[in-house]
Amino acid sequence: MRTIVINNDKKAEIKKYLGMTLTSLEDEVQKEEQKIEEALKSFEEEVEKLQSKYESLNAEKEQQIAAVKNGGLGLMKSVIKNMSLEKKDEL
């Protein structure tokens, strides 16, 4: 059998709730659940903002990479490879 230990703060809280009318207690529950819903909504909105920012940054990164590659990077690598092969042939 499991023993539940309730400290004095919890006892006072339970006593407070027992002293409330059913309607008041239901209203308090609804208010607290609304806080949870607001927290979830806020979280989802912020996640959407982050996703949008991520997509924007990723697109910017891809553009920068493409610009570097189109700016001669591939040709430079080809020349380096060719020069390396020529150097080996000389040896």
Side-chain angles (χ1 to χ4, degrees):
M1 186 173 172
R2 191 172 138 193
T3 305
I4 299 174
V5 177
I6 301 175
N7 64 27
N8 289 334
D9 292 339
K10 288 293 177 192
K11 286 180 185 178
E13 196 172 2
I14 292 169
K15 195 172 188 178
K16 171 186 153 190
Y17 296 146
L18 288 171
M20 296 171 73
T21 65
L22 180 59
T23 304
S24 296
L25 191 54
E26 288 173 337
D27 288 345
E28 287 299 313
V29 167
Q30 188 176 12
K31 287 178 189 176
E32 295 303 310
E33 287 178 341
Q34 182 64 33
K35 290 177 185 177
I36 291 172
E37 288 176 24
E38 289 171 4
L40 291 171
K41 182 181 176 186
S42 175
F43 173 78
E44 290 298 322
E45 289 171 353
E46 293 302 316
V47 167
E48 285 178 23
K49 289 177 189 175
L50 287 171
Q51 182 65 32
S52 177
K53 181 68 173 173
Y54 167 80
E55 290 170 4
S56 172
L57 289 170
N58 193 50
E60 184 179 326
K61 173 198 72 163
E62 294 299 326
Q63 288 174 351
Q64 290 173 352
I65 290 171
V68 169
K69 287 181 177 181
N70 292 332
L73 178 62
L75 288 175
M76 287 187 273
K77 287 183 174 183
S78 293
V79 170
I80 288 172
K81 186 174 182 178
N82 188 44
M83 293 172 90
S84 295
L85 291 174
E86 288 176 4
K87 194 172 191 177
K88 285 182 183 178
D89 288 343
E90 291 174 4
L91 298 176

